[in-house]
Amino acid sequence: MNAVVIGAYWGDEGKGKIVDMLAANSDWVARFNGGDNAGHTIVANGKEVVLHVVPAGMVQGKNVAIGPDVFFNPKTFFADYEGVLKAGFRVNGRILIDERAHVIMPYHIALDAGGEASGKLGTTKRGIGPVAKDKASRTEDITICDLVSPGLREKIKAVVAAKTAELVAVKAIEKAADAEKYAEAAYAEYAPYAEKIRPYVGSCAYELNAALDSGKTMLLEGAQSTLLDVVHGTRPYVTSSNCTAGGAAANLGIDLRKFKIIAVVKAYPTRVGEGAFPSELGNYEDAKKEKKGETLTAAEKKNAVDGDQGLLGKWIRQDGREFGATTGRPRRTGYPDFVALNYSAMINGVDEWAITKIDILSGKPLKAVVAYEKDGRKTTRFPFKLEGWKPVYGNREYFWNAMAESEIKAAVAKGYDALPGGMKEYIRDLVIATKTPVSMVSLSPEREITVTKDVLKRTMEYLR
């Protein structure tokens, strides 16, 4: 099966696990967007691996490709690679890095950390915004092709010279006269990477299309998610690349008609940083103060069940370990949002949902957004400017008790019908609201604890 795997909300849905699972039956896994501002966590064989640039298929020993619209940090790439090896996995497949991919340089990170916009937008300060600006400018960008070319030193010098005033402004260098020394230091750091990367450099468009033509199977792995897409997301609080399924085709130069589109939807939405979040539980200021590993008392859990949304949001955040794999920042949590998911299904042409972290909602009451309201107007469309819109919830409340380990194992073995009734009610309403069936339900970060038997069959029945 050829498939595109994308996220449905604002990221952190567990795409790494789903790609890792599907990679078992794929020849290639290609990353098509983003940079090391994303983190995909994989739990397999009792070990956890967090990947930021390397496609998740490497853990399965598959051929992996990094596409031309990926913002490539070589230091992070090799850290990912070493992390896979240290976790005990073998790197058996081929590695392909597209010659057109743009390289994150030290000055991109300095400009991101010191820039005014990064604070307002809550960026990860990994240099993504500045490298994307260079890509758009077309004259100050450094590609993988440039990185492995004999003219790298002169190219870096020219770009640093053009950016001297900016680098002084953010205190990356003290004065303009230091620019040449700064450029030499950047070259000295990156020249060794160039030699190590050289054997992997090629063209994804040619290599991947040739693989498809020869009958090889392929996964296209997205970073971030639909509502962070630079075009279709909740601007200005978005990333700098195309995160939708259409972006996979455009970025890699591949015919999307050959692929099934699977969107990973976490059972509850989360959001990192600023930006409107209609179904948010509690508020971001309180979330910022939380530390990973905090526990709720029995009294606090009772209050959450009785309607304290702030405590319910904290409970979900702590049980779901909702702290960024890349930044460590607490993620904001919210009630399920069927309006956002219907929009995501529409613009991506989603064929199937893969639901993750639904186990985290066990024992917690929830409801779902079915419309938005603002100034007396109601809409079921996802607004371009989301600020000020309030959630309108459906009449149904969902609840199910936590599944015992024996019940989880039984559900994996027996299939969809063995899931709790309240969970299936929630899944049914999600499917009907989005007109899209579900093909898998994850009950744990571990690869093996996923229900697939009869899931697609049963959820397609909801649409008849």
Side-chain angles (χ1 to χ4, degrees):
M1 177 183 71
N2 298 322
V4 182
V5 180
I6 53 166
Y9 279 126
W10 285 279
D12 308 306
E13 292 97 349
K15 295 182 292 297
K17 170 181 174 170
I18 303 303
V19 172
D20 175 57
M21 283 182 58
L22 296 173
N25 298 312
S26 299
D27 298 305
W28 279 89
V29 179
R31 170 84 173 266
F32 70 82
N33 76 309
D36 62 346
N37 55 335
H40 288 176
T41 302
I42 298 165
V43 180
N45 302 333
K47 296 180 180 178
E48 182 176 287
V49 180
V50 180
L51 302 176
H52 298 87
V53 177
V54 166
M58 182 177 281
V59 174
Q60 291 269 22
K62 303 297 180 174
N63 300 314
V64 296
I66 295 172
D69 202 45
V70 172
F71 302 122
F72 185 84
N73 185 323
K75 182 178 180 179
T76 306
F77 169 80
F78 286 110
D80 282 358
Y81 186 96
E82 291 300 323
V84 172
L85 294 178
K86 286 181 181 177
F89 299 100
R90 290 187 176 183
V91 179
N92 295 324
R94 183 180 168 194
I95 299 171
L96 173 64
I97 303 172
D98 198 281
E99 60 192 352
R100 296 173 183 263
H102 287 78
V103 181
I104 299 171
M105 300 296 292
Y107 48 79
H108 292 131
I109 297 169
L111 291 170
D112 204 4
E116 181 182 2
S118 66
K120 290 181 179 179
L121 299 180
T123 76
T124 57
K125 297 180 174 59
R126 296 296 181 105
I128 304 300
V131 74
K133 284 181 66 175
D134 281 359
K135 172 190 169 185
S137 77
R138 295 160 291 168
T139 57
E140 296 179 5
D141 56 328
I142 292 181
T143 63
I144 291 291
C145 183
D146 295 320
L147 182 66
V148 298
S149 75
L152 177 63
R153 174 184 265 124
E154 294 307 314
K155 178 83 180 205
I156 293 175
K157 284 183 179 180
V159 174
V160 170
K163 295 182 180 295
T164 296
E166 294 176 77
L167 292 169
V168 171
V170 298
K171 297 180 172 57
I173 57 176
E174 187 175 339
K175 53 187 183 299
D178 296 332
E180 187 167 348
K181 182 179 178 182
Y182 183 90
E184 279 296 329
Y187 173 76
E189 180 181 354
Y190 274 58
Y193 290 137
E195 293 308 309
K196 293 172 72 174
I197 286 169
R198 192 182 306 279
Y200 307 138
V201 177
S203 167
C204 282
Y206 278 106
E207 298 289 341
L208 297 184
N209 277 296
L212 287 170
D213 290 344
S214 68
K216 301 297 184 184
T217 54
M218 193 172 297
L219 290 178
L220 310 184
E221 174 187 350
Q224 287 89 34
S225 285
T226 297
L227 302 185
L228 293 176
D229 183 88
V230 69
V231 175
H232 298 286
T234 50
R235 292 176 65 90
Y237 302 100
V238 295
T239 191
S240 301
S241 62
N242 299 111
C243 308
T244 59
N251 295 350
L252 290 169
I254 281 182
D255 185 352
L256 200 61
R257 293 173 297 180
K258 298 177 180 178
F259 290 81
K260 177 180 287 188
I261 298 169
I262 299 174
V264 182
V265 52
K266 187 156 57 179
Y268 52 91
T270 58
R271 183 157 201 181
V272 175
E274 305 292 340
F277 189 3
S279 72
E280 183 168 16
L281 291 162
N283 63 76
Y284 187 31
E285 293 307 312
D286 286 342
K288 287 179 184 177
K289 301 171 187 175
E290 281 185 42
K291 301 296 182 184
K292 188 175 181 178
E294 291 181 13
T295 57
L296 275 70
T297 65
E300 287 175 323
K301 289 180 180 180
K302 182 179 184 305
N303 289 339
V305 170
D306 290 342
D308 189 319
Q309 292 192 2
L311 285 174
L312 180 59
K314 179 178 181 179
W315 192 4
I316 292 172
R317 184 163 37 251
Q318 292 296 339
D319 281 4
R321 299 173 65 192
E322 295 296 348
F323 295 82
T326 298
T327 64
R329 291 184 294 182
R331 298 173 186 142
R332 302 153 68 190
T333 55
Y335 282 124
D337 189 334
F338 291 168
V339 177
L341 292 182
N342 192 44
Y343 172 72
S344 184
M346 176 183 70
I347 66 172
N348 286 296
V350 176
D351 294 305
E352 300 169 5
W353 298 117
I355 298 180
T356 59
K357 286 197 166 183
I358 200 166
D359 53 301
I360 301 302
L361 296 179
S362 299
K364 304 174 181 72
L366 67 143
K367 50 191 176 181
V369 178
V370 296
Y372 297 146
E373 191 172 40
K374 181 179 181 181
D375 300 330
R377 294 181 294 135
K378 187 182 291 187
T379 184
T380 56
R381 291 188 171 190
F382 191 76
F384 169 44
K385 295 295 185 182
L386 200 54
E387 288 74 15
W389 288 93
K390 303 297 182 184
V392 177
Y393 294 103
N395 295 325
R396 193 187 305 276
E397 184 174 279
Y398 309 98
F399 183 87
W400 57 89
N401 291 315
M403 299 173 71
E405 186 176 349
S406 60
E407 293 174 313
I408 292 173
K409 290 180 179 178
V412 173
K414 296 179 180 179
Y416 186 76
D417 291 339
L419 293 174
M423 185 184 292
K424 287 185 288 188
E425 287 180 359
Y426 165 60
I427 293 172
R428 177 199 61 203
D429 287 357
L430 186 157
V431 167
I432 293 171
T434 60
K435 304 178 183 65
T436 305
V438 176
S439 59
M440 58 185 81
V441 179
S442 171
L443 299 176
S444 163
E446 295 179 30
R447 180 191 292 164
E448 298 80 8
I449 311 300
T450 306
V451 180
T452 58
K453 184 180 179 182
D454 294 333
V455 176
L456 187 60
K457 177 183 176 182
R458 291 286 185 262
T459 58
M460 286 184 71
E461 291 173 357
Y462 298 146
L463 298 173
R464 292 175 185 168

